[in-house]
Amino acid sequence: MPLNLDCDLVGHPTFTFSLSKEAQVFASEILDDTFSLKLSIDLGPEGGHLASLHGPPDLVELFSTLQLQVRCDIVADGYNVLDQDALDTPEVSSESRGKLLEALDLCDGDRVLDLMCGSGTTSQVLLEYAEESAIGISLSMCDTHYSQLRRIDPKVREGAVDITLGDARALPYETESFDVVLLKMGLHEVPQLDQPLVMREVFRILKKGGRFIIWQLLPTTGVWQDVFTDIVRKTSMLARCESQAFNRYFPRDDQLTWLFKNAGFAEYEQIFKVDFSYSTRARLDAELAGDSSKLEILNNFARDRAPQEVRDSALWRDTGEDILLKVPACIYRTYKPL
C-alpha cells in the first residue's frame, strides 16, 4: 500500500488493500467474497496525517467486539528518491509506438485514460500522435504515486484534461466514462490478490464497446515467473523501495487471460510481442546508487535463486558483472461487450 505523504498533497486519498489469506478466510465466514477495506489518509489541522479505516459494518463491528487490530504498515515506495522508473521498462521505440497506436485506434473525440501513468512518457506519445493526426482526444492521467505525477513534463501537463492521484484498485471515475483505457507496465505494481480489482475497475469505467489496451511483461512459465519476480524484488529491497519488493507480481500469459475473463472481458487479442532484456548491471545507477557491492549481492542472489534449467536456457546470460534476463513484453487489446 504505497503512499506518498506530502504536506502539499491535494485531497484526501483512499487506498484499497487486501487482507492476508488467513484474514480473508476468517472474514469470509461472516461475509461474502466481495468485501473490501479502505484506509483513508487525511491532513489534520496542524499538518499531521489522520488515518481512518472503512469497511462493511459487520466486519468493523466484529473487529471491535473481538478487540482485533488492523495494522497498516506505511512503507517507502521508492519513487520519491529514484531518478527514473525502477523497472526501466521497455521504451516506446518506433516499432512499439506504431503497434501501441494501432492497438489504441484513437478516434476524434475519444476520452482516454492513461492508467498508472507514472511520469507521463506514454501520455506524451498519445498527445503527439493526436496533434500529428489532427484529432481531438480528452486525455486523463492517473497514478498512485504523487512523486511520479510531479515529474510530468509541463507540455504533457498542459495537454491533459486532468491529472489525478488515485489507486487503480478503486478508481475515482464515474462508471462508463472512458472510450479507451491504457495500462502500460503497471499491473505488476500491485499484489497478485489485488490485480483482479484493477481489471474490474477498468471494466467498470469503460463505456460499452470501449477499448482496453494493456502492455505488460509476461513470464513464460511458472519457474521463470518466480525467478524473475524474486530477482526484481531483491533489486527493490537493495534500493530500499519496500512497497515494490512486497507488492510486485508479474503474471503469466495464462493468468492475464483469466484476469480478462474474470473482469467481464470476453474477447482479447495480442497486438505485439517482443523480448525485453532486464539487466542487473543497469540497476547500478538506476536503483543501487552506484554501489557496486550491492550489484555483487544482486548478481549472487540471482545465481543462487535460478535453477540450472533457467541458467541453461536462452532466457539467461551471465557475463560476470551483468546478468541479462529475457521476458516477453506484450501488448493486448480487449473490448467491453456492448
Side-chain angles (χ1 to χ4, degrees):
M1 184 176 54
L3 304 179
N4 285 114
L5 299 179
D6 199 306
C7 59
D8 62 349
L9 185 64
V10 177
H12 307 281
T14 298
F15 294 84
T16 302
F17 60 96
S18 293
L19 298 174
S20 68
K21 291 182 179 179
E22 295 80 4
Q24 287 191 48
V25 171
F26 173 76
S28 65
E29 293 180 359
I30 62 165
L31 297 168
D32 61 31
D33 61 0
T34 61
F35 70 87
S36 65
L37 293 174
K38 294 183 179 181
L39 176 72
S40 65
I41 306 294
D42 297 328
L43 292 178
E46 297 181 359
H49 299 105
L50 306 177
S52 302
L53 186 67
H54 313 274
D58 289 345
L59 185 60
V60 175
E61 182 179 352
L62 176 66
F63 283 179
S64 176
T65 301
L66 298 180
Q67 296 183 329
L68 297 176
Q69 292 183 340
V70 178
R71 188 187 70 206
C72 302
D73 295 323
I74 298 178
V75 298
D77 63 27
Y79 285 110
N80 56 322
V81 296
L82 294 175
D83 290 332
Q84 55 183 295
D85 184 358
L87 186 59
D88 198 18
T89 53
E91 294 188 3
V92 185
S93 64
S94 56
E95 180 185 16
S96 58
R97 180 183 187 272
K99 292 296 184 180
L100 175 62
L101 293 171
E102 173 189 335
L104 289 166
D105 191 23
L106 295 175
C107 302
D108 191 50
D110 274 347
R111 187 179 180 195
V112 183
L113 173 64
D114 185 358
L115 180 58
M116 302 183 78
C117 64
S119 58
T121 54
T122 307
S123 287
Q124 181 175 356
V125 171
L126 304 189
L127 291 171
E128 289 174 352
Y129 173 77
E131 184 177 2
E132 294 166 2
S133 305
I135 62 174
I137 62 171
S138 297
L139 177 65
S140 298
M141 303 172 66
C142 179
D143 198 273
T144 311
H145 304 278
Y146 183 58
S147 55
Q148 285 281 73
L149 297 179
R150 293 179 66 176
R151 295 174 179 163
I152 295 174
D153 184 272
K155 290 184 179 179
V156 175
R157 188 178 298 278
E158 182 179 347
V161 295
D162 66 86
I163 299 174
T164 301
L165 180 72
D167 195 315
R169 295 163 289 191
L171 289 169
Y173 300 109
E174 296 293 329
T175 297
E176 297 186 2
S177 54
F178 288 96
D179 300 286
V180 183
V181 175
L182 168 63
L183 177 55
K184 178 179 182 286
M185 300 306 298
L187 185 62
H188 63 261
E189 294 291 326
V190 297
Q192 181 184 12
L193 289 174
D194 287 353
Q195 290 181 3
L197 297 177
V198 175
M199 303 293 272
R200 291 172 197 165
E201 278 293 274
V202 170
F203 187 88
R204 179 184 67 80
I205 66 173
L206 267 177
K207 297 177 182 178
K208 290 181 173 63
R211 307 178 294 286
F212 174 34
I213 291 81
I214 183 169
W215 185 342
Q216 179 62 44
L217 294 183
L218 299 170
T220 52
T221 67
V223 172
W224 187 232
Q225 175 188 40
D226 292 343
V227 170
F228 179 68
T229 298
D230 286 350
I231 291 173
V232 173
R233 285 176 172 175
K234 181 65 174 181
T235 307
S236 296
M237 287 301 293
L238 290 170
R240 307 185 112 183
C241 303
E242 292 100 328
S243 76
Q244 294 166 6
F246 296 150
N247 294 336
R248 274 181 167 161
Y249 181 83
F250 294 87
R252 301 186 308 272
D253 192 275
D254 61 307
Q255 291 175 315
L256 182 63
T257 296
W258 180 87
L259 288 168
F260 279 141
K261 294 181 177 179
N262 177 262
F265 296 105
E267 303 293 336
Y268 57 91
E269 57 184 324
Q270 186 182 97
I271 304 296
F272 183 61
K273 180 178 180 180
V274 66
D275 280 338
F276 167 66
S277 293
Y278 183 88
S279 162
T280 58
R281 178 64 179 79
R283 312 299 108 210
L284 183 60
D285 294 327
E287 295 169 79
L288 305 181
D291 189 338
S292 57
S293 65
K294 288 186 176 181
L295 176 60
E296 184 177 0
I297 292 172
L298 176 60
N299 284 339
N300 288 334
F301 172 84
R303 296 182 185 107
D304 292 340
R305 177 63 185 84
Q308 194 63 45
E309 64 181 277
V310 168
R311 285 181 279 143
D312 289 342
S313 73
L315 302 174
W316 172 284
R317 185 161 68 89
D318 187 347
T319 66
E321 187 183 27
D322 190 17
I323 295 176
L324 288 171
L325 315 170
K326 288 188 178 180
V327 182
C330 304
I331 298 177
Y332 275 90
R333 178 173 62 192
T334 187
Y335 299 86
K336 183 171 181 175
L338 293 171

